[in-house]
Amino acid sequence: VTALDITPLVFVEGQTGRIRLTTGVPMTINGLFLDRGIADAAEQGTTSHTILVGVPIFTAAGIYPCSLTLTDAVGQSTSLVLNIQVIDGNYGSEYINLLADRANLLDPAVENAELAHVQSIMSNFTPTRYWNGPMSLPAAAAIVSPFGRKRAYDGGAFDHFHTGTDFGGASGTS
């Protein structure tokens, strides 16, 4: 490893951090963080590596190991353990009152099906970059409910959290 950059230096629950490694010779990199596999996007002849590291919501604040295994072209492996500090996301909370005909939205089967669908889309990884330049917001509107807020429905306990980001818009807006 000839260079290492971790951004931000302190990771936040519910957000993504980035690890960049430069190696003197071509390498493949595999690793684990919070018992989840992490994927390496290698460029420049597999000597420049970018790893995006997601920190799940409800991860307790603390210091966690990020274990990386670097393997060269002849199969020789080197282990590298990075200690990553995670802090609370401070997402806040909100009360939501559902109309009677929308109460089925809290049915665990409905919630689990939606989460499984989102996970099937979001868990695919390809090292190929399909964009150039900065990304932008998906809507030109104010955020009315940000990601991560703890939610209490119909006077109940704060036992849900918001898995998306809601933008304000007129009724019927796509």
Side-chain angles (χ1 to χ4, degrees), residues 118-141:
V118 170
Q119 186 173 17
S120 73
I121 295 168
M122 301 298 290
S123 62
N124 295 321
F125 175 80
T126 176
T128 304
R129 185 182 303 201
Y130 292 103
W131 76 94
N132 287 315
M135 292 187 176
S136 66
L137 294 174

Side-chain angles (χ1 to χ4, degrees), residues 10-13 55-56 58-64 84-89:
V10 176
F11 287 13
V12 179
E13 162 216 8
V55 181
F58 297 129
T59 298
I63 297 175
Y64 297 91
I84 304 290
Q85 182 178 2
V86 174
I87 60 173
D88 185 276

Side-chain angles (χ1 to χ4, degrees), residues 31-143:
L32 283 176
F33 181 67
L34 297 170
D35 296 323
R36 295 172 179 222
I38 53 178
D40 165 38
E43 299 174 303
Q44 299 176 356
T46 65
T47 61
S48 177
H49 306 267
T50 300
I51 302 167
L52 299 178
V53 182
V55 181
I57 199 88
F58 297 129
T59 298
I63 297 175
Y64 297 91
C66 177
S67 302
L68 303 176
T69 302
L70 293 77
T71 306
D72 67 16
V74 296
Q76 184 176 2
S77 294
T78 301
S79 295
L80 178 64
V81 178
L82 307 171
N83 289 315
I84 304 290
Q85 182 178 2
V86 174
I87 60 173
D88 185 276
N90 294 316
Y91 291 107
S93 58
E94 59 191 1
Y95 293 95
I96 296 178
N97 292 315
L98 295 174
L99 300 173
D101 64 337
R102 309 224 4 139
N104 69 330
L105 294 174
L106 299 179
D107 179 347
V110 172
E111 286 185 297
N112 290 337
E114 181 179 338
L115 287 174
H117 179 67
V118 170
Q119 186 173 17
S120 73
I121 295 168
M122 301 298 290
S123 62
N124 295 321
F125 175 80
T126 176
T128 304
R129 185 182 303 201
Y130 292 103
W131 76 94
N132 287 315
M135 292 187 176
S136 66
L137 294 174
I143 294 175

